[in-house]
Amino acid sequence: MGARILDVPCGQGRHAHLLAESGYDVDGLDYSAKLLTVARGRGTGPLLRYTRGDMRKMPGRWSKRFDAVLNLFTSFGFFAHPSDDIRVVREFARVLKPGGLLIWHGGSRDGVMARFLARDWWTSEKTLFAQEREFDPVSGVLTVRSTWKRGVKTGTREHRLRLYTATRLSELFADAGMIVEQAYAAFDDAPLKRTSSEMLLVARKE
Ligand SMILES: C[S@@+](CC[C@H](N)C(=O)[O-])C[C@H]1O[C@@H](n2cnc3c(N)ncnc32)[C@H](O)[C@@H]1O
C-alpha cells in the first residue's frame, strides 16, 4: 500500500482523487457538504475516503495515522481568532506519524505585501471581475471585496484571510513539533523569495 495521505481541507477532492489514482491511501476532510458531494462524484473506493468535519478538531482515531498532511491552495487563516489557526496546526501535528511531512501551500505575507494592489480588475469570458483589498498589519487580516458583472447581472462577495509570513508559520509549526525543512515559491523548484506571493513549506514531524 502507498503512503497514507490526508488532504485537509480537500474541497471538491481535486487533489485527493488524483493521489488515490496514483496508489496512495487517501483521506480528505472538509467542512462543506456541498463540495464533498462533488468530491465523491469524482469517485471513492478502498483507497479514498471523504469525511465531513472541522479541521480544528479532526477524528480522534487519526492520531499518528498519516505519512503526509496536505494543506493546499490557501486553506489556512480562515478563523476570526488566531488561536483557531494554532489549533489547526496542532491537529496537523497530532495526525502525522513521527517523521511524517506537512506540505503547506498558500499566500506569503511578505510577497503579497511587496506586490500589494489595493484594486484591480480583469475580464474573462465576457465577465468583468474587480477586487478591492485592505490589509490590517496588526491582525494580519486581508479583506477582499470581489465584484463581478456580466451583462445586466452583477454580484459581490467579501472574504477575509489571515496572512502569515514563512517566519511566523515556521514558528507555529515548530511549537507543534514540525520543523520546516524546505521552502519553495510555489509548486516548482524555485526557492521562496521575499517577493514570492505564494509559498510551499515542507515541515517534518519530529
Ligand atoms: C480555498 S478551498 C481549497 C480546497 C482544496 N485544498 C483545494 O485546493 O481545492 C478552502 C476549503 O476550506 C474549507 N473549509 C473552510 N473552513 C473549514 C473548516 N473549519 N474545516 C474544514 N474545512 C474548512 C472550505 O469548505 C473549502 O473547501
Side-chain angles (χ1 to χ4, degrees), residues 153-164:
K153 290 187 179 171
T154 62
T156 56
R157 173 175 176 254
E158 184 172 295
H159 71 275
R160 293 186 174 76
L161 190 72
R162 181 170 292 97
L163 288 176
Y164 286 89

Side-chain angles (χ1 to χ4, degrees), residues 7-15 29-32 35 53-56 70-76 78-79 88:
D7 182 12
V8 54
C10 62
Q12 52 182 273
R14 56 195 187 125
H15 306 112
L29 180 137
D30 202 279
Y31 197 71
S32 164
L35 292 177
D54 187 331
M55 57 184 169
R56 288 170 290 186
L70 312 183
N71 181 254
L72 304 180
F73 286 90
T74 314
S75 292
F76 191 81
F78 297 150
F79 303 106
V88 172

